[in-house]
Amino acid sequence: AAFHWIDSPDFQDPLRAALYQAEMRRQRDTLDACQAVIASTGYLADQVRQMGKPAWVHRNAFSLEMLELAERAYQHRQADPSRVVIGYASGTPTHDRDFAVVKPAFKHILQQYTQVELWLVGNLNPGRDWGSLAGRIKRFPWMPWRKLPELLVQFDINLAPLVMDNPFAQSKSEIKYMEAALLRVPTIASPTDAFQYAIRQGENGFLAANLHEWTEALNVLVSQPDVRKAVGDNAYAHTMANYHPSTRSGELIATLNQISEQQLGKPFIMPLHTAEGELVSLTDIPSSGGNIIDPALERSPSLAQMALYSLKYRGLRTLLVQLWIYFRRLLAPIFPYKSGK
């Protein structure tokens, strides 16, 4: 049933849709085998509890590398007071419906304020009905997260619209708020569980549940640069205080200990003590080096390596389906899909 709520153009390919559903069943099997669950949002944790599983919430954090890249981008930003950039960064091709919900508000703002530009990042189809406004819409390809701050820092307003009656959208975390906040950029978001947790209305961001509220929030932030700056600065301070790794790591230790004590009767991490017997906080232990991790150290398997993995653990049939999907995507611009999701 959950598959129905995922809006992705990939699923126009029936084989891709079938393979994705098979992967979802494998994830469900993993969930069924677990004694306890950690989720990144309250909504997800509630869904797990309805299955009879104990669940804890451990919210996302930014990494020290993300912080360093954001600070570097902020220090090198070049503000252009002659324009106001409203930006929407789509990380996956599943946001066309989300964008469509608030599209009339964007049109209204572009018509009302000639200095406004709308920047769209990633796999998103905004439609072709913008008329004379189309010249003020800029498209950018999907980009890796290490490069994203260089673009986000040029936003004056960050957007995070979601379809409110969609469980898939409700499951998403507040990471879009956090990424923009590190660059002092204010966010307007749909009031999902996660964004309601993060955003205090009018203080460190704006929540908008309908077209009227989206239009009003955009009006305020476009027309009042002082409010834009204040809200962006508040978002930065809030994110640094609540989403910093030092904060989240301490919370994770406490959560893991709660889970372990409930399931096993003992803490997951035993407390550390100095030679004098004083208690040591694990979050006080200094890191061993810089914050920037060499991307080459990350596991980024080649297509050949992924193919060998599928053959070994998923079988020849799954590998052949994956190869078909890969080549079918390449041909999609010439031979569009005929079957819907």
Side-chain angles (χ1 to χ4, degrees):
F3 175 76
H4 169 73
W5 297 103
I6 306 174
D7 179 31
S8 173
D10 270 356
F11 300 147
Q12 293 175 330
D13 181 350
L15 285 178
R16 176 68 182 105
L19 182 62
Y20 192 92
Q21 292 178 80
E23 291 169 352
M24 291 178 71
R25 287 190 289 270
R26 289 163 63 89
Q27 292 169 356
R28 175 58 187 265
D29 290 343
T30 300
L31 183 62
D32 288 340
C34 294
Q35 294 174 276
V37 176
I38 297 177
S40 61
T41 69
Y43 181 86
L44 281 175
D46 287 341
Q47 298 303 304
V48 172
R49 293 183 188 115
Q50 291 178 24
M51 299 168 52
K53 298 275 185 180
W56 283 258
V57 178
H58 179 69
R59 297 187 179 274
N60 287 327
F62 59 83
S63 67
L64 293 178
E65 182 175 5
M66 286 176 66
L67 176 61
E68 185 166 336
L69 292 172
E71 293 290 351
R72 185 184 302 172
Y74 184 76
Q75 294 301 322
H76 291 88
R77 77 192 189 286
Q78 295 181 345
D80 185 351
S82 67
R83 73 182 181 194
V84 176
V85 174
I86 300 174
Y88 180 38
S90 172
T92 60
T94 59
H95 291 287
D96 286 352
R97 291 181 188 173
D98 299 324
F99 183 82
V101 168
V102 292
K103 182 176 174 178
F106 303 151
K107 284 186 173 182
H108 174 80
I109 293 299
L110 286 171
Q111 290 168 346
Q112 186 173 355
Y113 300 98
T114 58
Q115 76 273 31
V116 169
E117 295 180 3
L118 179 61
W119 291 15
L120 304 177
V121 186
N123 300 301
L124 185 73
N125 179 14
R128 300 181 180 180
D129 56 346
W130 293 84
S132 61
L133 303 175
R136 286 192 280 143
I137 300 176
K138 292 189 176 182
R139 303 297 308 276
F140 298 85
W142 176 91
M143 58 184 59
W145 65 268
R146 286 187 172 88
K147 291 292 183 181
L148 191 58
E150 299 173 13
L151 185 60
L152 290 184
V153 77
Q154 299 180 63
F155 289 7
D156 294 293
I157 304 166
N158 179 56
L159 306 174
L162 290 167
V163 177
M164 289 296 295
D165 62 354
N166 185 334
F168 179 68
Q170 285 282 356
S171 300
K172 293 179 180 293
S173 76
E174 63 272 30
I175 191 168
K176 278 186 168 59
Y177 158 79
M178 181 174 62
E179 290 172 335
L182 289 177
L183 297 157
R184 288 79 160 177
V185 176
T187 293
I188 307 173
S190 298
T192 60
D193 168 83
F195 285 123
Q196 288 190 63
Y197 174 86
I199 293 176
R200 297 185 295 271
Q201 181 73 348
E203 183 178 340
N204 65 336
F206 286 86
L207 297 170
N210 53 52
L211 280 177
H212 173 73
E213 293 179 0
W214 273 95
T215 303
E216 285 299 305
L218 286 166
N219 266 317
V220 169
L221 290 177
V222 169
S223 63
Q224 301 181 45
D226 290 345
V227 173
R228 257 195 338 259
K229 184 179 187 310
V231 173
D233 288 345
N234 289 340
Y236 174 78
H238 172 259
T239 297
M240 290 294 290
N242 293 277
Y243 293 87
H244 195 283
S246 62
T247 300
R248 281 287 179 264
S249 59
E251 292 173 352
L252 179 59
I253 291 170
T255 298
L256 291 173
N257 281 341
Q258 288 177 16
I259 295 172
S260 185
E261 286 169 357
Q262 184 182 103
Q263 297 294 323
L264 304 174
K266 61 181 180 180
F268 180 77
I269 299 177
M270 300 297 294
L272 299 177
H273 295 83
T274 65
E276 292 76 21
E278 296 179 353
L279 185 66
V280 177
S281 170
L282 295 183
T283 59
D284 292 335
I285 299 174
S287 60
S288 58
N291 300 329
I292 299 295
I293 299 174
D294 183 356
L297 297 177
E298 295 183 347
R299 296 186 64 183
S300 300
S302 65
L303 289 175
Q305 289 173 320
M306 289 189 286
L308 288 174
Y309 179 91
S310 289
L311 181 61
K312 181 177 180 179
Y313 295 102
R314 304 290 298 277
L316 178 61
R317 183 179 182 278
T318 296
L319 174 59
L320 293 175
V321 171
Q322 290 173 330
L323 289 173
W324 162 259
I325 292 169
Y326 175 76
F327 289 110
R328 185 65 183 87
R329 280 179 183 166
L330 298 179
L331 294 173
I334 304 172
F335 303 104
Y337 298 109
K338 294 182 179 179
S339 299
K341 172 179 154 182

